[in-house]
Amino acid sequence: MAAKVPASFRAAYDDLAGELEVGKKYLVSRLQAELDDLNPVVIQVRVKDAGSIYAKLQKGESTQLLDLDDLIAARAVFLHPQQVSLAMKACQKTFPILEERNITVGKPDDFRYQQPHLIVGFPLDYVERKPALGHVKVELQFTTYIQHALQESTHDVIYKGERFSWREHRLDSRLRGLLEIVDEVLANLQDLAQVDEDPPYPIFDSRNQIIAAAQELWDAEELPVDLRRFAITVEGLLKLSGFEISDWLAVAHANSDLIHAYSLTPVDKVIGVILRDRHEKFIQSLKKRRVLVSSELEELVPQALKIPQQNRVSYGGNPA
């Protein structure tokens, strides 16, 4: 339920609300454009409602409505802290900066809610077209996905609750400390994982052999984007045919016309090599398994024609 405000204030707010909504739409599109290279997880923009504004004015810290620094507020959420810093720098170049908050290193034992903030105005070229927004302040927040999730989960309980709770605030601070560590670990996951060599693990070792074989056969631009999914797919195909990866690789080198066929994907080529060398075993082992067989594969490898219809994945207009 919306908070009650005096009719006189409601009228003043309503005069400005339409312009704030216009500014919100602009801010969404501008932030998306400026931050697109950083792959934000989400960009949220909201206009402060009349009840919240009136309650904030009642604190007596502002002389007028337009003194408030978050009539429009935006939050840009990123996967890693490094992206947060880069996003702030991008916005500092785009928007007139009125104030910077929480951008310096805090106390080492302080884990309060301290998302970096910028208080900005709308860009001057936009104000020339929308002069009513020339004195509106915008709050820009930057945070990581993990911290954003915590903020969304705890905001109403801890910061908007019906009572003050030492335990709730203490728990919030402790969680922020933990999540700061998690943020740093995730940002440096690959480096941290390489501190020690991987222990032997047969499943991963065999899949890595498949990836290595693929990299031996094809240039990087020919390989699938998701090499791990490719390895799992090929692993199943080799198991059906009874191939060890080293044996399959030797046969693949002997079928260079197929390996270098422009019209086939690497998975198609794996199937093609298998069919040329041991199509009977492969087809018998399919049972309920389905494979995707293109017309290009059938043309280069006639043995593919022997794969029963019930063992094929259909990508035409009619189901198989």
Side-chain angles (χ1 to χ4, degrees), residues 17-193:
E19 294 294 344
L20 294 179
E21 287 295 334
V22 172
K24 170 186 172 180
K25 292 179 181 178
Y26 166 81
L27 196 60
V28 170
S29 61
R30 187 65 186 262
L31 287 172
Q32 288 174 338
E34 296 295 335
L35 304 178
D36 182 66
D37 290 345
L38 297 173
N39 300 314
V41 176
V42 67
I43 294 175
Q44 296 177 334
V45 183
R46 65 107 178 103
V47 172
K48 203 171 188 68
D49 64 78
S52 296
I53 290 175
Y54 192 74
K56 198 165 186 178
L57 289 174
Q58 284 180 317
K59 294 172 68 176
E61 297 173 355
S62 303
T63 59
Q64 60 175 327
L65 179 60
L66 289 176
D67 282 342
L68 297 182
D69 54 25
D70 61 346
L71 290 174
I72 303 176
R75 181 184 294 174
V77 182
F78 301 89
L79 283 179
H80 302 306
Q82 294 92 328
Q83 294 167 312
V84 169
S85 299
L86 293 172
M88 281 192 61
K89 291 178 182 178
C91 288
Q92 286 167 330
K93 295 177 181 178
T94 302
F95 298 92
I97 305 300
L98 305 176
E99 188 179 349
E100 299 174 337
R101 297 177 183 168
N102 299 332
I103 64 168
T104 57
V105 176
K107 296 180 180 178
D109 57 351
D110 186 358
F111 293 100
R112 290 173 297 170
Y113 173 57
Q114 297 184 88
Q115 287 180 344
H117 288 46
L118 296 177
I119 307 301
V120 305
F122 284 96
L124 297 180
D125 59 340
Y126 182 68
V127 172
E128 289 177 358
R129 305 194 303 273
K130 290 290 181 181
L133 294 170
H135 297 288
V136 172
K137 298 176 183 178
V138 176
E139 180 185 77
L140 302 181
Q141 301 178 12
F142 307 86
T143 190
T144 63
Y145 194 32
I146 287 177
Q147 295 287 350
H148 171 67
L150 178 62
Q151 178 65 10
E152 291 291 287
S153 300
T154 62
H155 185 265
D156 288 347
V157 174
I158 295 177
Y159 298 99
K160 301 282 183 162
E162 296 180 354
R163 57 184 295 276
F164 290 93
S165 169
W166 183 92
R167 290 189 180 279
E168 288 176 355
H169 278 75
R170 180 65 173 171
L171 178 59
D172 180 60
S173 294
R174 290 162 67 193
L175 286 172
R176 290 194 183 281
L178 288 172
L179 295 189
E180 184 176 310
I181 294 173
V182 173
D183 265 335
E184 292 182 359
V185 169
L186 292 177
N188 299 283
L189 185 62
Q190 191 167 21
D191 290 339
L192 290 171

Side-chain angles (χ1 to χ4, degrees), residues 185 188-199 208 228:
V185 169
N188 299 283
L189 185 62
Q190 191 167 21
D191 290 339
L192 290 171
Q194 302 306 317
V195 171
D196 295 316
E197 291 186 6
D198 276 348
N208 285 335
R228 285 184 284 192

